Amino acid sequence: MKVALITDKSGMEPYYAKSGKIYRLDNDKPYIHEQSLGNECIMGFWNIPVLFDGWFLNSNYIQPINFPDIDLDLIFLSHQRKDTPIPVSFLRKKYPNAIISSITQETFTDRDVLYNNFKDCDIVCGCYSDIERYDDIMNRINKQMHWIPEPFDVDYLHNKYYTGEKDLSIFSYKHSRPQRAGHTEQFANYIGQKYNIPVIRKWTDLVDNQWRDFLDMWTPCAFHFNLDPEPHPGDQAIQCAIAGTINIGGNNDSHNILFPDTAGNDLKHLEDKMHLYLNDTDAYYNAITYAWNKVNDIYSFNAVKSRIEKMVEQYS
C-alpha cells in the first residue's frame, strides 16, 4: 500500500521512507531533524510514512501542484493551516485512486473551512483514544471518527535505551510550553527533598543531537515526572514505557493508557504511589511490565500499521 502523510503547515521538510529510514525528498540524502535520532528513528506522528515506506509532503516547501506523481493508495491529510488548508478536491484530482483520510496531530481548530475538509474526506481520524470527545465533530460532519495512535519504533528505542537497572533519581520534565508544565517542577523538588532522591532538570538545545542528548539524560532515571494538566496525546509517557522508566502524573492520553495508577495530578495520590514503588519492588516492576505490554499492543509499528490496514478495509 502506497501511503503519504500530507500537511499544509509544518517545519518538517518533505521526506520519504525506505527500510525504516527517512531521506530528503529533494536530494535523497539522509534526513536528520533536531527531534530525530539521525535518519534511523523519528518520533510519533511523523512515523506514519515510515510504516509503509511512504512519503511526507508539505506545502510549506512544495507547492501542491508540484507534489510528486505517485499512484497513492492512502493519504493522511493533516489539517494545520487554519484558514486556507489544502483542498481535498485538489488531492482527489492529483491522486484519483487514493482513499483520503483526515488526521489531527494534537489539537483541533474550530474553523468552518476545516469542517468542510473533514466532510470531503473518506475517513476522519483523531489523535485521542476517547472518541466520545469528538461527538460534536461527528454530529456536525455526520461521520465516525477513528483513533490512530502515534506510532513509535519500540524495538529500536528499547534496544538503545532500556536498562534493567535504573538510577534512583527523578527526571523533572520541562515542557516547552509553560501552560503545560503544571506543578511538575514543584512536586519533583518536594518528593526529591522528602525522600532524598536526586532530581534532574535540564533543557536541551535545538541542535542536531538534541533528541539523543535528551534520551541519554533521562532514560537512566527510575522516575519521570510530567504533570501536564492538558489532555494531549503525549509522547513522553510512550517513551517512558519503552525505556522502562515510570511516568508520574499528568493528564495526557498516554499517561492514562500506559501508567493508569500514576496518571492525573492528585498530589496526595501520586506521593502515595511513589512511596509504594520505593518500598515494594514487585509493585515497581509490575508497573513497568504493564506499560511495556501496552506500548507494544497500542503504539508499536506493527500495532499501528495493523490498525490502519483494518480501518482502510472498511472503506475499500
Side-chain angles (χ1 to χ4, degrees), residues 44-304:
F45 179 78
W46 308 107
N47 272 316
I48 289 176
V50 179
L51 300 178
F52 299 92
D53 276 357
W55 295 263
F56 169 67
L57 307 176
N58 183 354
S59 64
N60 264 8
Y61 293 89
I62 309 173
Q63 289 298 311
I65 196 171
N66 294 321
F67 280 177
D69 295 325
I70 307 165
D71 187 15
L72 293 173
D73 300 301
L74 174 63
I75 294 170
F76 282 105
L77 177 58
S78 176
H79 306 281
Q80 300 196 34
R81 188 174 295 280
K82 298 176 182 178
D83 299 310
T84 55
I86 298 173
V88 175
S89 58
F90 166 81
L91 295 177
R92 289 207 185 279
K93 184 176 180 180
K94 179 75 175 179
Y95 303 108
N97 296 320
I99 293 173
I100 301 177
S101 172
S102 70
I103 189 166
T104 58
Q105 183 183 357
E106 276 205 358
T107 56
F108 176 79
T109 304
D110 187 5
R111 297 290 181 97
D112 285 341
V113 67
L114 294 185
Y115 278 118
N116 290 335
N117 260 16
F118 284 172
K119 290 178 182 178
D120 292 341
C121 285
D122 301 304
I123 308 174
V124 183
C125 297
C127 55
Y128 299 104
S129 62
D130 181 10
I131 295 299
E132 290 183 359
R133 71 179 293 138
Y134 296 113
D135 280 350
D136 289 344
I137 301 172
M138 288 189 286
N139 290 336
R140 185 166 176 179
I141 66 175
N142 195 29
K143 288 186 178 180
Q144 174 67 37
M145 296 282 289
H146 300 267
W147 175 44
I148 299 298
E150 296 195 352
F152 277 78
D153 193 341
V154 171
D155 293 336
Y156 179 92
L157 291 169
H158 186 75
N159 289 337
K160 289 186 73 72
Y161 294 103
Y162 173 80
T163 57
E165 297 295 328
K166 295 286 185 181
D167 298 333
L168 182 53
S169 57
I170 294 168
F171 182 77
S172 175
Y173 180 56
K174 183 177 181 180
H175 204 285
S176 59
R177 301 174 188 172
Q179 69 271 23
R180 295 184 60 183
H183 298 291
T184 301
E185 182 175 8
Q186 299 91 321
F187 187 61
N189 290 340
Y190 164 74
I191 293 294
Q193 292 171 9
K194 182 171 180 177
Y195 295 91
N196 194 28
I197 303 173
V199 176
I200 298 169
R201 184 178 179 84
K202 184 179 178 182
W203 183 254
T204 53
D205 295 323
L206 292 174
V207 295
D208 286 346
N209 292 325
Q210 177 197 7
W211 212 259
R212 183 174 285 108
D213 293 344
F214 180 57
L215 287 162
D216 286 340
M217 183 192 312
W218 70 259
T219 52
C221 299
F223 300 101
H224 181 284
F225 280 39
N226 178 14
L227 279 67
D228 184 351
E230 298 188 13
H232 287 268
D235 289 353
Q236 278 301 113
I238 299 171
Q239 294 170 66
C240 285
I242 296 170
T245 293
I246 291 183
N247 184 79
I248 300 292
N251 292 328
N252 291 175
D253 205 22
S254 58
H255 296 172
N256 289 284
I257 293 170
L258 300 170
F259 298 96
D261 290 342
T262 55
N265 291 327
D266 182 331
L267 303 187
K268 172 65 167 59
H269 171 76
L270 296 180
E271 182 173 355
D272 288 345
K273 286 297 179 181
M274 277 295 298
H275 186 270
L276 173 65
Y277 294 149
L278 292 171
N279 291 280
D280 187 334
T281 303
D282 288 342
Y284 175 82
Y285 284 108
N286 285 343
I288 290 173
T289 301
Y290 179 91
W292 169 248
N293 290 334
K294 281 290 186 181
V295 83
N296 277 280
D297 290 345
I298 296 173
Y299 298 100
S300 67
F301 277 7
N302 286 340
V304 179

